[in-house]
Amino acid sequence: MTLWLTLAVNSIALGGLLFLLSAGFSLIFGLMRIPNLMHGSFFMLGAYFGVTLLDNRIGMNFWAAALVSALAMAVIGGLVERFLLRRLNGQELPQVLLTLGLSFIIADVCLMIWTGDPWQPPTPDHLRGVLQVAGVYFPYFRLVIVLVAVVIAVALWLMVDWTRLGAMIRAGVDDAPIARVVGIKVSQLFTLVFALGAALAAFGGVIGAPYLSVYPGLDAEMLPLALIVVILGGTGSLLGALVGSFLIGFLYNFGQAMFPDLAYVILFLPMLLVLVLRPQGLFGRVMT
Amino acid sequence: MATKALTLHNVDAYYGDSHVLQKVSFELGEARMLGLLGRNGAGKSTCMNVSVGLLSPRGGSIELFGEPVTTLPPEMISARGVALVPQGRRIFKSLTVRENLIVAAQKPRDNKHAPWTTETVFSMFPRLSERKHQMAAHLSGGEQQMLAIGRALMGNPRVLLMDEPSEGLAPQIVAEVMATIRKLKESGLSIVLVEQSPKLVFDIADDIVILNSGRIAVTESAAKLRDGSTDLAQHLGVF
Ligand SMILES: Nc1ncnc2c1ncn2[C@@H]1O[C@H](COP(=O)(O)OP(=O)(O)OP(=O)(O)O)[C@@H](O)[C@H]1O
Ligand SMILES: [Mg+2]
């Protein structure tokens, strides 16, 4: 019984991290049609920034480290979009190749700087300990991850669906030339979305570090998960990303515990089913 | 001589290799209405596209109240007070009616007129007000046209360009839209009204420009053309 609960808690914690990763991926792909294959790299590089800031030599506060890392990654993401991806507007294959190439470069640079050893910062003091409910123990930290993910999900949803800024972004997606003609600075907004996606991934990377640790290959492990989440949930749909993330969190943890040999089948099968039966994803709108 | 609101001077425009506008020049006077006529494919929409910065002319120049805007991108031309009601309306379909308006809101550039806001647009088009929380995609053709006009007005423009606002609308709705345009003209806005049929334009416009295959064929005051003594059929087809 407790094993199942532990698995469930781990699942929703992973789901929270996956949401931070895939929300940006989904917005970037859904709104700007950029298949950003360096999204896993944003997660990993952000995590490396974070563990460096958390290291004894600097000893930054956990949340401050996550924010600083997110900010740094926003700048890097913004630069990549503005100076590289912008030149490949609407050309998907070159965009795939560029982002894939950059992800290899980042992986190598990370290996050089942070070596091949895993880094695992301790769980911050104030988030240690467990919550005991009806004889079952829930580690605080994992609950906090979920809470943060849900808060960010609501904030993103409010921004995209209920603010003027969000409406301007959607207008730019609907009809970019006319959006510019009515005065919307579409190009700046798209850079902003890309930077925001990068920042969210980095934030997730730092928050996840005490739990997942940071090591070479983390990028390549996270990217397919983001892909599955977004295909399951539907591109551009934040609700889809949220539901997809928790779904994959559960499939991943339970799959590995119960059918370790089939873990990948269990992960990818639902994606295949969705692609065949409902290509727009569970919550996606049909693209025209 | 009074400053002109919008001037195209010897504009040459291309789509790829096809030379679509050839030395096109015309002037829109301040607080006047210019009717831009021509057959299918004559180059009317292309004139609109170069005026709002969607297409860069390869030759010639464009001026707004005496200032060159020839090479500015669309968002900067919009910031200087040019608004377009595009052909085919092109409202933002996945936005609500109200969102279509607020994304286009800009501060007025002078305080000559009461500024346009969602409230003033809604009081001009009560039917939009009733549907303000609906997705714009669900509006009827006439309502979409009103929304496109409202959206353009939200920018508090000094120059309003309207590309075939009557296209595809039932006659009764066309009459409503024309009444609105007349009101806008009376408010002192400088307007270019593009149409294929001169009937709609002759008695409302001050000046008429007729394009034929990318060249200016006629530039004349509407009053002179109204009497019918000038033969326009060769430029406009049968009407
Ligand atoms: N995007 C484009 N690419 C290539 N050619 C174009 C493009 N848009 C228009 N053209 C061509 O340019 C010429 C002028 O087109 P334009 O749209 O300006 O005509 P118009 O006077 O607005 O016609 P209509 O009354 O049908 O709207 C036409 O021959 C048209 O086929
Ligand atoms: Mg046209």
Side-chain angles (χ1 to χ4, degrees):
Chain A
M1 179 62 198
T2 35
L3 170 69
W4 298 125
L5 267 171
T6 310
L7 271 178
V9 172
N10 285 349
S11 302
I12 54 171
L14 179 63
L17 289 179
L18 285 178
F19 174 75
L20 294 178
L21 174 74
S22 28
F25 187 78
S26 179
L27 287 180
I28 290 169
F29 189 68
L31 297 183
M32 301 159 68
R33 301 273 182 280
I34 296 177
N36 176 31
L37 295 191
M38 60 189 303
H39 215 70
S41 314
F42 290 159
F43 187 88
M44 180 175 75
L45 189 55
Y48 273 128
F49 284 162
V51 294
T52 309
L53 295 170
L54 289 170
D55 187 75
N56 288 334
R57 274 164 290 179
I58 301 179
M60 198 180 263
N61 166 283
F62 185 70
W63 299 108
L67 282 178
V68 170
S69 165
L71 222 60
M73 199 54 59
V75 172
I76 294 176
L79 291 174
V80 167
E81 197 279 336
R82 185 114 285 222
F83 294 105
L84 297 174
L85 282 168
R86 180 55 52 91
R87 291 159 199 268
L88 304 175
N89 208 349
Q91 303 166 256
E92 277 172 22
L93 187 58
Q95 287 172 344
V96 163
L97 295 175
L98 174 75
T99 53
L100 195 62
L102 286 173
S103 78
F104 290 145
I105 293 174
I106 291 177
D108 259 11
V109 170
C110 287
L111 195 60
M112 250 167 59
I113 300 178
W114 286 282
T115 75
D117 299 329
W119 290 58
Q120 185 160 27
T123 304
D125 286 337
H126 63 286
L127 298 178
R128 275 194 208 146
V130 291
L131 185 72
Q132 194 186 350
V133 180
V136 188
Y137 297 99
F138 299 95
Y140 267 138
F141 185 58
R142 298 196 179 172
L143 297 178
V144 167
I145 291 180
V146 178
L147 190 69
V148 168
V150 170
V151 167
I152 290 182
V154 171
L156 282 177
W157 171 70
L158 288 177
M159 185 201 80
V160 173
D161 275 15
W162 293 100
T163 66
R164 176 163 186 253
L165 180 72
M168 287 163 98
I169 293 171
R170 284 177 284 131
V173 173
D174 247 15
D175 189 335
I178 290 299
R180 297 180 68 192
V181 167
V182 303
I184 299 173
K185 297 183 177 109
V186 174
S187 141
Q188 289 178 20
L189 287 183
F190 280 11
T191 304
L192 187 79
V193 169
F194 199 85
L196 179 69
L200 285 173
F203 193 77
V206 181
I207 296 199
Y211 168 38
L212 301 171
S213 82
V214 199
Y215 49 88
L218 179 64
D219 52 345
E221 243 171 79
M222 295 313 276
L223 180 65
L225 292 179
L227 269 171
I228 309 176
V229 164
V230 169
I231 290 174
L232 266 183
T235 49
S237 159
L238 285 168
L239 182 63
L242 191 65
V243 173
S245 296
F246 286 115
L247 218 58
I248 292 304
F250 273 89
L251 287 175
Y252 188 90
N253 279 297
F254 279 82
Q256 284 208 326
M258 295 164 67
F259 316 100
D261 295 338
L262 295 177
Y264 273 91
V265 177
I266 290 174
L267 267 185
F268 283 92
L269 198 61
M271 179 186 96
L272 288 180
L273 287 179
V274 162
L275 278 178
V276 172
L277 300 176
R278 198 178 152 82
Q280 75 270 33
L282 298 175
F283 297 90
R285 271 173 257 165
V286 183
M287 307 234 177
T288 44
Chain B
M1 196 181 93
T3 42
K4 299 295 176 184
L6 178 71
T7 311
L8 270 70
H9 184 68
N10 281 340
V11 167
D12 278 300
Y14 292 73
Y15 290 112
D17 285 336
S18 72
H19 195 172
V20 180
L21 294 184
Q22 307 190 25
K23 299 253 176 291
V24 166
S25 303
F26 61 76
E27 291 178 331
L28 167 67
E30 200 170 350
R32 289 176 79 84
M33 183 185 290
L34 182 122
L36 184 57
L37 298 167
R39 290 184 186 141
N40 270 324
K44 307 180 295 297
S45 295
T46 308
C47 287
M48 300 297 98
N49 288 345
V50 296
S51 302
V52 297
L54 282 176
L55 182 68
S56 284
R58 283 205 206 156
S61 62
I62 301 165
E63 283 180 11
L64 189 65
F65 293 97
E67 290 175 27
V69 295
T70 318
T71 55
L72 292 184
E75 53 273 16
M76 289 184 72
I77 292 183
S78 165
R80 289 176 180 226
V82 179
L84 172 69
V85 178
Q87 185 166 18
R89 313 187 257 276
R90 289 174 75 173
I91 51 162
F92 302 120
K93 290 216 166 68
S94 64
L95 272 58
T96 64
V97 169
R98 190 174 159 275
E99 282 174 337
N100 263 277
L101 297 177
I102 59 173
V103 295
Q106 289 183 51
K107 291 204 178 66
R109 285 151 200 84
D110 53 43
N111 38 24
K112 271 188 245 163
H113 314 285
W116 287 100
T117 61
T118 45
E119 287 78 35
T120 51
V121 169
F122 283 146
S123 66
M124 180 164 214
F125 300 115
R127 254 188 297 169
L128 292 183
S129 178
E130 287 161 26
R131 288 163 176 69
K132 63 179 139 191
H133 298 301
Q134 278 186 25
M135 283 296 168
H138 299 156
L139 297 180
S140 71
E143 289 161 354
Q144 291 192 9
Q145 190 62 66
M146 292 169 196
L147 183 56
I149 295 172
R151 179 179 67 181
L153 294 174
M154 288 296 288
N156 282 296
R158 300 188 284 173
V159 172
L160 181 63
L161 311 174
M162 310 183 96
D163 197 347
E164 301 200 34
S166 69
E167 197 184 22
L169 300 182
Q172 189 193 336
I173 312 284
V174 172
E176 262 179 64
V177 168
M178 294 314 286
T180 304
I181 294 173
R182 203 178 284 274
K183 268 191 235 163
L184 294 174
K185 184 192 175 211
E186 281 157 12
S187 79
L189 204 54
S190 314
I191 300 176
V192 176
L193 177 60
V194 172
E195 283 292 347
Q196 283 195 33
S197 136
K199 283 190 204 110
L200 290 171
V201 179
F202 271 16
D203 58 337
I204 179 173
D206 303 300
D207 307 289
I208 301 287
V209 167
I210 300 179
L211 276 174
N212 194 347
S213 308
R215 296 169 193 273
I216 300 285
V218 175
T219 304
E220 194 54 270
S221 78
K224 280 232 179 95
L225 296 179
R226 245 171 246 146
D227 63 24
S229 59
T230 321
D231 178 25
L232 300 174
Q234 52 170 326
H235 305 304
L236 293 174
V238 196
F239 61 88

